[in-house]
């Protein structure tokens, strides 16, 4: 039976998981959305019980050539597998996923350098380390290291006695004490695995500092190194047998201890306490927990999965606060497989405190393609110091996709979700979203944005009070454009700087059109449904009129001194003063034809227009003050 096509649900958290699932399969196998949909339709069980578990844990494992080869071998096995889905999962888990974590598991055991590190408060060996030979070798290595550090010898640089500890500190480059005295005469060494590996390296290379060690001290350390290698070899041999699964035995007390000894050392840093990530789970429990996720047998989820969900501890009435997802699972069969992929859906910006971000739109294809572009473009964030640059780059990706797909409906319900980092680059509170910013824009704005000419004109920065303001960003945040253009024109007049003609006039035309549309409060009439399509034509009509008459007033009036009183009248919202000053000046115009056209413009767009007369008036000031690099042409058409 074919699988159900991936589609968004309308819930951004679940959809972030679906996107993460898609991203994961693409990152590991190179499948794009189309290829993944095809495979789900043709072989859903292989995807969810074979390829997905393999990809999920490969993503959590160390990236190495050995692990990559393991992945490629496993892919061939899954591709040719014929049989029950649970048998496939067992095969992938015990034969391949365990191999991915062999080195990490071995190292996690080797890192315990003292017996104290593996015992509980009652002095008993903790379950993750309950292997008699492992404990014996660990104790032997610890004893030899202590014995070596406590030895005394003649200082090669003086005639005084010196402890080997001091010479060892020189080798590993440490200043602090390497021997710590405990109560009742007990003594412990403070060497870490990294310290010990430095000793091993110096021993192999026979460095000058190593050769200065007395013979007795070197012998003890060499014996400790031999025991260390024996311990490592023993652990690797033990892990090799885990692939058969028979080493764990039946569900007895001893087998549970053994299961914890072989626990997969996994941590997503996002769900670190959720099911198979929980430190108390053994490898068998981890397998069963993951199997239950794929089978949909986990019915309740809480803050272990998402900080947005209620916690039983916070509310006394558990019956009403535990989130039962059984009804959701009826609609989304693989819900939990998606929910454990939310973090993969996010983009690691790694820039100042930006952290992880996710662009979300309720359309899967649009969201997927936009995030792909965003992932590439956010690489340039390191080159910018602009705190709003994430917003800007996100919109670059959105606009690129929007113009490619020619779809405006996707822009009405969009979010930018963000996990913050601290100043050292660490994510603050892995399971909590620090910021969810709604960035959707109405269909009316989206339809305007779809026009290439308008979008190109707005995609520029205007000089305002010594800063550069992104005009398109202002429009996307649905803020009035008139105040920004007013400041930009004032900046140009005051400092004799360039005024961006085309950008300013398009911004004023948009502002005027949005104000005029605001008059219509009727819902569900023809105008209500047609206004997005009519908006672009209206904006271009206004722009054409503004542009033509900006040139006309420029031809008609040669006296630049009139700019200051005209601008002052507009800024103070004195329509009559603006009209009187301009009409008096036009009476003395040399170019009567241009003056006549401006007169008509004044009566049509300013005197009889209560909603947006300032936009049309300011357009004339732009014409008189002159333009910058994007100055328009008097012959520029509407198209």
């Amino acid at each position: 039976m074919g699988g159900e096509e991936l589609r968004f649900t309308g819930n951004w958290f679940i959809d972030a998981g679906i996107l993460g699932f898609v991203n994961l399969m693409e990152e590991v196998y190179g499948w794009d959305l189309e290829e993944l949909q095809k495979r789900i339709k043709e072989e859903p069980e292989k995807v969810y019980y074979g390829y997905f578990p393999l990809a999920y844990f490969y993503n959590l494992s160390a990236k190495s050539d050995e692990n990559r080869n393991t992945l490629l071998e496993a892919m061939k096995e899954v591709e040719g597998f014929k049989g029950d889905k649970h048998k496939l999962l067992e095969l992938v888990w015990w034969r391949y996923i365990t191999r991915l974590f062999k080195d990490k598991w071995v190292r996690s055991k080797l890192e315990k350098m003292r017996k104290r590190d593996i015992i509980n408060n009652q002095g008993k060996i903790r379950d993750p380390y309950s292997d008699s030979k492992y404990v014996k070798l660990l104790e032997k290595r610890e004893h030899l290291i202590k014995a070596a550090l406590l030895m005394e010898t003649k200082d090669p640089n003086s005639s005084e006695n010196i402890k080997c500890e001091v010479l060892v500190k020189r080798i590993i480059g440490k200043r602090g004490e390497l021997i710590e005295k405990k109560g009742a005469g007990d003594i412990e060494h403070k060497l870490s695995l990294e310290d010990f590996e430095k000793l091993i390296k110096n021993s192999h290379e026979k460095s000058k500092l190593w050769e200065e060690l007395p013979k007795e001290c070197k012998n003890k350390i060499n014996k400790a190194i031999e025991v260390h290698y024996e311990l490592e070899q023993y652990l690797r041999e033990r892990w090799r047998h885990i692939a058969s699964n028979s080493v764990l035995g039946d569900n007895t007390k001893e087998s549970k201890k053994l299961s914890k000894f072989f626990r997969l050392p996994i941590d997503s840093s996002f769900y670190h306490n959720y099911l198979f990530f929980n430190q108390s789970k053994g490898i068998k429990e981890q397998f069963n927990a993951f199997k239950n996720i794929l089978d949909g047998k986990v019915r309740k989820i809480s803050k272990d999965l998402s900080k947005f969900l209620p916690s039983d501890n916070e509310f006394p009435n558990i019956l009403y606060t535990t989130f039962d997802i059984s009804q959701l699972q009826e609609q989304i069969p693989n819900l939990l497989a998606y929910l454990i992929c939310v973090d993969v859906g996010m983009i690691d910006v790694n820039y100042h405190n930006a952290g992880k971000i996710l662009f979300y739109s309720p359309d899967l294809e649009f969201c997927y393609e936009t995030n792909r572009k965003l992932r590439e473009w956010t690489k340039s964030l390191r080159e910018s110091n602009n705190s709003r640059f994430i917003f800007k780059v996100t919109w670059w990706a959105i606009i690129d996709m929007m113009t490619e797909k020619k779809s405006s409906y996707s822009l009405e319900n969009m979010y930018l979700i963000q996990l913050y980092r601290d100043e050292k680059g660490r994510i603050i509170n892995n399971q909590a979203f620090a910021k969810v910013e709604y960035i959707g824009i109405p269909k009316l704005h989206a339809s305007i944005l779809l026009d290439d000419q308008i979008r190109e004109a707005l995609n520029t920065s205007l000089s305002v009070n010594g800063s550069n303001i992104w005009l398109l960003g202002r429009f996307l945040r649905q803020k009035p454009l008139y105040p920004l253009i007013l400041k930009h024109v004032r900046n140009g007049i005051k400092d004799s700087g360039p005024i961006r003609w085309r950008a300013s006039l398009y911004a004023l035309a948009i502002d005027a059109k949005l104000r005029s549309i605001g008059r219509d409060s009727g819902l569900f009439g023809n105008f209500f449904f047609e206004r997005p399509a009519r908006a672009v034509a209206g904006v271009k009509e206004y722009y054409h009129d503004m542009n033509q008459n900006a040139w006309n007033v420029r031809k008609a009036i040669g006296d630049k001194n009139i700019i200051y009183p005209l601008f002052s009248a507009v800024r103070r919202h004195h329509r009559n003063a603006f009209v009187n000053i301009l009409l008096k000046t036009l009476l003395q115009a040399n170019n009567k034809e241009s003056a006549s056209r401006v007169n008509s413009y004044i009566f049509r767009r300013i005197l009889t227009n209560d909603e947006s007369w300032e936009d049309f008036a300011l357009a004339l000031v732009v014409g008189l003050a002159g333009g910058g690099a994007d100055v328009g042409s008097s012959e520029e058409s509407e198209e």
Side-chain angles (χ1 to χ4, degrees):
M1 186 175 69
E4 189 172 328
E5 183 183 59
L6 289 172
R7 61 173 64 89
F8 273 176
T9 64
N11 178 291
W12 74 262
F13 187 75
I14 295 174
D15 292 348
I18 294 173
L19 180 64
F21 177 83
V22 175
N23 286 348
L24 176 68
M25 303 303 267
E26 182 173 31
E27 287 174 16
V28 175
Y29 302 118
W31 304 340
D32 60 13
L33 178 59
E34 184 179 357
E35 174 67 17
L36 179 58
Q37 295 279 35
K38 178 185 174 185
R39 286 179 177 267
I40 289 174
K41 183 178 180 181
E42 294 175 353
E43 297 180 306
E45 290 186 351
K46 279 190 178 181
V47 171
Y48 288 104
Y49 285 82
Y51 290 115
F52 169 62
L54 188 61
Y56 191 82
F57 289 98
Y58 175 77
N59 190 52
L60 294 173
S61 68
K63 299 302 175 282
S64 65
D65 291 340
E66 184 179 354
N67 279 354
R68 185 64 187 172
N69 291 334
T70 298
L71 174 72
L72 295 174
E73 183 184 336
M75 286 173 64
K76 290 181 181 178
E77 185 97 51
V78 174
E79 189 69 34
F81 183 85
K82 297 185 185 301
D84 178 70
K85 61 184 181 181
H86 292 128
K87 293 293 184 184
L88 175 60
L89 177 61
E90 287 181 12
L91 172 70
V92 168
W93 180 277
W94 296 108
R95 184 177 296 180
Y96 297 107
I97 290 175
T98 55
R99 274 166 56 182
L100 294 174
F101 293 93
K102 176 186 64 179
D103 291 339
K104 190 174 181 180
W105 180 83
V106 169
R107 187 166 184 83
S108 70
K109 294 291 191 280
L110 291 175
E111 283 175 338
K112 305 304 177 184
M113 297 293 290
R114 295 164 295 274
K115 186 178 179 181
R116 174 171 61 89
D117 299 335
I118 63 171
I119 60 175
N120 58 25
N121 294 333
Q122 288 75 43
K124 295 182 179 180
I125 302 296
R126 290 187 282 138
D127 288 346
Y129 309 99
S130 57
D131 179 279
S132 58
K133 187 170 182 179
Y134 166 74
V135 175
K136 182 180 177 181
L137 290 171
L138 183 147
E139 287 183 298
K140 189 175 180 181
R141 181 184 61 178
E142 179 184 12
H143 174 75
L144 289 167
I145 291 172
K146 280 196 299 184
L149 294 176
L150 289 170
M151 283 183 174
E152 288 193 4
T153 185
K154 291 285 185 183
D155 188 345
N157 300 319
S158 69
S159 58
E160 298 179 0
N161 283 345
I162 186 172
K163 283 186 177 180
C164 284
E165 175 194 6
V166 176
L167 299 175
V168 169
K169 283 198 292 185
R170 292 175 186 171
I171 293 174
I172 64 176
K174 271 200 168 181
R175 293 184 179 180
E177 298 295 322
L178 299 182
I179 290 292
E180 183 179 12
K181 293 183 179 180
K182 297 289 185 179
D186 193 17
I187 295 174
E188 286 186 351
H189 75 81
K190 296 170 69 175
L191 281 183
S192 66
L193 179 59
E194 289 76 15
D195 296 332
F196 192 63
E197 286 173 338
K198 288 179 183 178
L199 278 177
I200 295 173
K201 185 173 183 287
N202 276 269
S203 169
H204 289 167
E205 294 175 353
K206 298 189 183 301
S207 67
K208 182 181 178 182
L209 289 173
W210 173 262
E211 292 302 320
E212 288 179 357
L213 283 174
K215 184 178 179 181
E216 296 82 359
C217 185
K218 279 196 284 190
N219 287 341
K220 286 287 185 185
I221 293 175
N222 280 328
K223 285 182 180 179
I225 292 172
E226 288 176 10
V227 174
H228 177 79
Y229 284 147
E230 184 182 353
L231 175 58
E232 182 178 2
Q233 185 60 35
Y234 172 71
L235 289 170
R236 291 189 180 279
E237 188 65 21
R238 289 287 279 155
W239 190 256
R240 189 172 64 83
H241 290 297
I242 199 68
S244 66
N245 189 17
S246 60
V247 70
L248 296 176
D250 297 326
N251 195 26
T252 62
K253 186 177 180 180
E254 285 303 313
S255 70
K256 287 181 179 178
K257 280 187 177 182
L258 205 53
S259 176
K260 289 184 179 180
F261 180 71
F262 285 110
R263 178 190 180 274
L264 288 182
I266 53 174
D267 181 8
S268 75
S269 77
F270 196 82
Y271 309 110
H272 58 263
N273 199 39
Y274 185 63
L275 294 179
F276 48 87
F277 291 116
N278 194 298
Q279 295 294 317
S280 66
K281 303 290 185 184
I283 192 170
K284 264 195 170 182
E285 290 78 16
Q286 287 177 303
F287 170 76
N288 290 329
F290 193 78
K291 178 173 173 286
N292 287 339
I293 279 179
L294 298 183
D295 288 343
K297 291 183 178 179
V298 179
R299 296 298 186 187
K300 295 176 181 178
I301 54 178
S302 65
K303 282 198 172 184
D304 287 342
L305 185 64
S306 167
K307 288 292 183 184
F308 286 116
L309 300 175
S311 168
D312 295 347
N313 297 329
E314 292 175 0
F315 300 96
N317 196 335
I318 296 176
L319 180 62
Y320 288 100
T321 59
T322 301
F323 188 15
D324 190 322
I325 59 170
S326 54
Q327 289 184 324
L328 279 174
Q329 287 173 308
E330 291 177 8
Q331 304 298 321
I332 314 166
N334 300 291
L335 172 65
L336 281 161
Y338 305 141
L339 290 183
I340 60 173
C341 292
V342 170
D343 59 325
V344 193
M346 306 191 81
I347 300 166
D348 195 348
V349 177
N350 196 25
Y351 170 77
H352 289 303
N353 67 337
K356 288 179 177 286
I357 63 170
L358 167 70
F359 163 76
Y360 171 68
S361 165
D363 180 89
L364 172 57
E365 185 179 359
F366 187 88
C367 188
Y368 163 72
E369 294 290 354
T370 302
N371 274 284
R372 283 182 78 183
K373 293 178 182 292
L374 189 55
R375 183 175 284 105
E376 290 299 317
W377 292 352
T378 47
K379 293 175 183 176
S380 61
L381 282 172
R382 297 179 184 180
E383 302 169 8
S384 170
N385 294 318
N386 189 339
S387 61
R388 291 295 298 174
F389 201 61
I390 291 176
F391 178 87
K392 191 170 183 177
V393 171
T394 301
W395 271 106
W396 284 346
I398 294 168
I399 291 166
D400 198 62
M401 275 305 303
M402 184 187 69
T403 52
E404 185 178 317
K405 301 291 183 182
K406 291 296 180 186
S407 61
S408 60
Y409 70 92
S410 300
L411 305 187
E412 296 178 68
N413 188 20
M414 301 185 300
Y415 298 85
L416 189 60
I417 299 144
Q418 192 169 355
L419 284 173
Y420 280 126
R421 293 180 184 272
D422 61 17
E423 66 279 359
K424 294 183 179 179
R426 297 170 301 196
I427 292 177
I428 302 170
N429 198 342
N430 288 319
Q431 292 179 319
F433 293 101
K435 185 179 183 184
V436 180
E437 180 180 1
Y438 176 75
I439 61 170
I441 61 175
K443 187 173 289 185
L444 182 65
H445 288 62
S447 62
I448 293 172
L449 202 60
L450 273 172
D451 184 84
D452 294 340
Q453 276 191 332
I454 297 175
R455 187 177 62 256
E456 182 185 344
L458 295 184
N459 191 19
T460 188
S461 294
L462 301 181
S463 177
V464 176
N465 299 331
S467 300
N468 289 320
I469 308 298
W470 188 37
L471 182 56
L472 183 57
R474 182 97 176 185
F475 174 73
L476 293 171
R477 289 192 287 273
Q478 301 167 57
K479 293 186 177 181
L481 300 181
Y482 171 80
L484 179 64
I485 303 304
L486 188 70
K487 291 177 183 177
H488 174 59
V489 173
R490 179 178 180 274
N491 194 85
I493 294 172
K494 180 182 176 183
D495 302 330
S496 299
I499 297 172
R500 299 194 72 86
W501 178 302
R502 188 163 177 262
S504 297
L505 294 189
Y506 260 120
L508 292 171
I510 290 170
D511 196 81
K513 187 61 186 175
L514 292 178
R515 289 196 205 191
S516 69
I517 289 175
R519 288 179 306 180
D520 180 69
S521 58
L523 294 178
F524 310 121
N526 288 335
F527 183 79
F528 176 82
F529 290 108
E530 292 173 3
R531 64 183 185 177
R534 293 162 59 98
V536 173
V539 168
K540 289 196 169 185
E541 177 191 339
Y542 286 175
Y543 170 78
H544 180 69
D545 206 6
M546 288 177 176
N547 186 53
Q548 291 285 346
N549 285 284
W551 275 104
N552 285 330
V553 78
R554 190 184 182 97
K555 293 175 184 177
I557 300 175
D559 184 8
K560 295 291 184 180
N561 291 326
I562 194 178
I563 294 172
Y564 300 100
L566 285 177
F567 180 79
S568 178
V570 173
R571 190 162 63 91
R572 297 174 186 276
H573 307 287
H574 290 169
R575 175 164 46 176
N576 291 337
F578 178 87
V579 171
N580 287 335
I581 295 168
L582 189 54
L583 288 177
K584 285 180 182 179
T585 308
L586 287 172
L587 289 174
Q588 304 169 22
N590 295 324
N591 191 325
K592 298 300 182 183
E593 184 180 353
S594 294
S596 175
R597 289 174 179 170
V598 175
N599 274 325
S600 172
Y601 176 86
I602 291 171
F603 283 100
R604 286 184 295 106
R605 300 300 192 188
I606 298 176
L607 284 175
T608 60
N609 176 8
D610 293 333
E611 289 83 14
S612 57
W613 72 266
E614 292 102 328
D615 292 297
F616 290 96
L618 188 57
L620 296 179
V621 178
V622 170
L624 286 168
D630 70 338
V631 63
S633 164
S634 60
E635 303 301 322
E636 190 172 348
S637 69
E638 296 177 47
E639 298 304 320

